[in-house]
Every structure is written in structure tokens, then in C-alpha cells.
Amino acid sequence: MSEAVDWERTVFMLLAPDALARHLGGQIVDRVVAQGFQPVAWRVLWHRPANLDAFHERNITQVWKAYLYRLVDQLFDFGPTVALLVRDVRPDPRHPSHARLRLAKGASDPADASPGTIRADLGSINVMLALMHSSDTPADSQRESAVFTDGGFDGGAGDGPGGYDGGDPADLRTLLDLLSRSAPAERRGYPQVLAGLRARVLALAWSELSDSARRSAADLLAGDLSGLAAAGAGEKAAGLLAGGHPLAPILAAEFTPDRPGPDPARVQDLLAVHGTRLDPWERLVLATSRRFAPRR
């Protein structure tokens, strides 16, 4: 079906893989609808879009370094994404549609996301794991939508423009519900991932610890497990190991831009020697938080 799109009032947006893994897709759509935007077309992307380079063209050529490109690939490889077109049903000439949705979603950096915005209230993890994307301008919406639908609006599926399904928004709700039920909700933010990794490393090294070191480890665990993610806890934990222990750098790392520690691929190798490994969510959170300051 061919359909003209009013790009002044229609905004392209993505429900990112991290939002779907955390079962927040429905809540994000609810928040967008509350701002006066109606979903009119959608599509699940199960693989990295073939034209993803075109989506990030300006960043790749002018802004990004190679590691950012790899992180984007890692994000889209993690799980499905939902692309949507949402139409502004309460247009206000004083506040263009794209700008209004941009304010509603909040800043991509958690430190700058104001309370009341989607990213602040639903707890984005970092700039890369920021729950959603929406285009900044009508021209961006048109270009980015084409990237994620293989180039246009001719002869699409369902009732939406080419490359999209559309029609009853209840169908979108059912789709998001199916995606949520396909896997358990991921509840771990950056502190929980970091604390869990440190707990695992201490358990791996437990037989090597002295009695006094074990007592100190027990003190670190006193109270909530997230205490292991507190500032300085990693260095204290690393100090319990013998000098030069290969697992010490993992414990000492914050996996933040100022204290990045070993690359998660190196962490994976070190853990594999001991018969364990990072799960995909841990690897994604740690890899992105090493480059973008995470929400603690």
C-alpha cells in the first residue's frame, strides 16, 4: 500500500534492544501516546539493518571513533528493535512535533535527563543504552525511516506505508506483549551488573583467600549486594587477592570512562579459564559503560 506521510507531524522512532530486553516497550509507547502521538506504523527488526551505516552516516564520517561503531553493532546484535512512525494528533504550531517528542524522551546522558522524561523515569543506563530514539527533524524522520525499511514506502505489508505494518494500535500492543513474553525481563542496571561480576570473581578466587581476606570479603557483602558496586569497593576487593593475580584488574575496574579496566572481551577470556563467562547483557552494559558514564 502506498501512503503519503506528513513528515512535519509524523516522527520516526525506535524502541531499542535494551528497552525490549527490560520489557519497557509498552511503557514507552504509553508515555509517547500521553504526549499526543499515535502509533500509525511499526516493524520489528530482528537483525542489524542492512543500511545501518546510512543511519549513522554523519556520526561515522564526522564524529565517531571506531569503538563507537562497534558498540552500535553490538547493540543491534543483542536483540530485536521496533521501528515506529508516530503521528502528532495534538499539533501545536509553537512547538513542532519533533521538538516536543525530543523533550518528552529526555537527554541521552542519564546525568542530564530531567525527572518527568521517559529516559529519567524509566532509568536509561547510559548514552548508548538510552531506551529509545526519535528523529530530530522532519527530514531526519524521512531519511531514517527509509533506512530501517529498506528504502521507502512502495508496497508494504499490512495497512501501513511500505516496509511497515499498521492499523489498529492494539496490534502493536500485542506484538510488544509477545516480545516481552519471549524472554524474562532484564532487571539489572549498571550497579547490579558490576556487583554481580565482582561477586563472581571473588567466588572464583575464594579458595585462594586467607581467613582475614574472607572476613573482609564478607564485610564488603554486608547489606545490599549493590554495595559491591560502590565507589572504591572494587579496589578493596582487588586488594584481597595475591599480588599480580590475573583476576585483580577485573575487580578493580569500574568499567566507566575514567576507570575503564580491561575490555569485556579480555574479561571473557579470563573468566573462561575458570569455567564461567559474561552473559550477553553483562557484556553489553560493561562495554557501553566503559565509553559512556552510566547511571549509578
Side-chain angles (χ1 to χ4, degrees):
M1 170 182 172
S2 179
E3 178 179 323
V5 177
D6 178 359
W7 292 111
E8 294 294 331
R9 291 179 52 184
T10 304
V11 184
F12 173 77
M13 62 173 281
L14 295 172
L15 298 176
D18 53 300
L20 298 178
R22 296 173 61 191
H23 293 192
L24 295 177
Q27 292 185 55
I28 293 172
V29 169
D30 287 342
R31 297 283 294 255
V32 169
V33 169
Q35 294 295 321
F37 293 87
Q38 180 71 34
V40 294
W42 46 87
R43 178 189 183 188
V44 180
L45 302 158
W46 293 97
H47 305 287
R48 179 192 187 277
N51 293 326
L52 189 61
D53 291 359
F55 178 68
H56 290 296
E57 180 179 6
R58 186 185 67 83
N59 286 326
I60 291 170
T61 58
Q62 300 178 28
V63 181
W64 283 0
K65 298 179 181 178
Y67 68 79
L68 288 171
Y69 186 62
R70 290 195 298 269
L71 288 178
V72 169
D73 275 350
Q74 189 172 342
L75 174 61
F76 279 94
D77 285 342
F78 178 77
T81 305
V82 177
L84 304 96
L85 298 181
V86 294
R87 182 174 296 147
D88 189 352
V89 295
R90 298 204 304 260
D92 181 345
R94 298 169 300 173
H95 304 288
S97 303
H98 287 74
R100 215 169 80 244
L101 186 53
R102 183 168 64 248
L103 289 174
K105 73 181 175 184
S108 57
D109 188 334
D112 298 329
S114 301
T117 62
I118 293 171
R119 285 168 168 161
D121 293 355
L122 299 185
S124 61
I125 292 176
N126 55 43
V127 167
M128 190 67 70
L129 304 183
L131 300 176
M132 64 175 291
H133 164 80
S134 66
S135 301
D136 289 334
T137 67
D140 286 341
S141 274
Q142 185 173 13
R143 178 181 63 84
E144 293 172 2
S145 179
V147 165
F148 280 85
T149 54
D150 300 323
F153 300 101
D154 349 299
D159 297 318
Y164 287 100
D165 292 317
D168 187 348
D171 290 341
L172 173 61
R173 302 288 178 166
T174 301
L175 174 61
L176 293 175
D177 191 34
L178 287 170
L179 291 171
S180 293
R181 294 181 188 224
S182 67
E186 182 53 71
R187 306 293 186 192
R188 293 171 294 173
Y190 161 81
Q192 291 76 28
V193 166
L194 183 60
L197 174 60
R198 288 173 173 170
R200 194 179 323 157
V201 171
L202 285 173
L204 290 173
W206 193 252
S207 64
E208 305 171 40
L209 299 184
S210 66
D211 288 342
S212 62
R214 291 181 180 186
R215 288 193 293 272
S216 296
D219 291 340
L220 282 174
L221 287 170
D224 194 313
L225 179 66
S226 63
L228 274 175
E235 285 191 339
K236 290 180 182 177
L240 303 179
L241 305 184
H245 197 290
L247 295 176
I250 301 176
L251 285 173
E254 296 291 337
F255 295 96
T256 55
D258 56 334
R259 302 260 332 252
D263 185 273
R266 174 61 176 158
V267 174
Q268 194 79 297
D269 291 340
L270 290 168
L271 294 180
V273 171
H274 295 81
T276 186
R277 59 191 295 107
L278 297 171
D279 65 45
W281 180 253
E282 289 174 320
R283 191 164 181 172
L284 181 63
V285 170
L286 295 176
T288 55
S289 295
R290 289 176 80 244
R291 300 297 185 178
F292 303 101
R295 183 188 303 274
R296 285 188 176 268

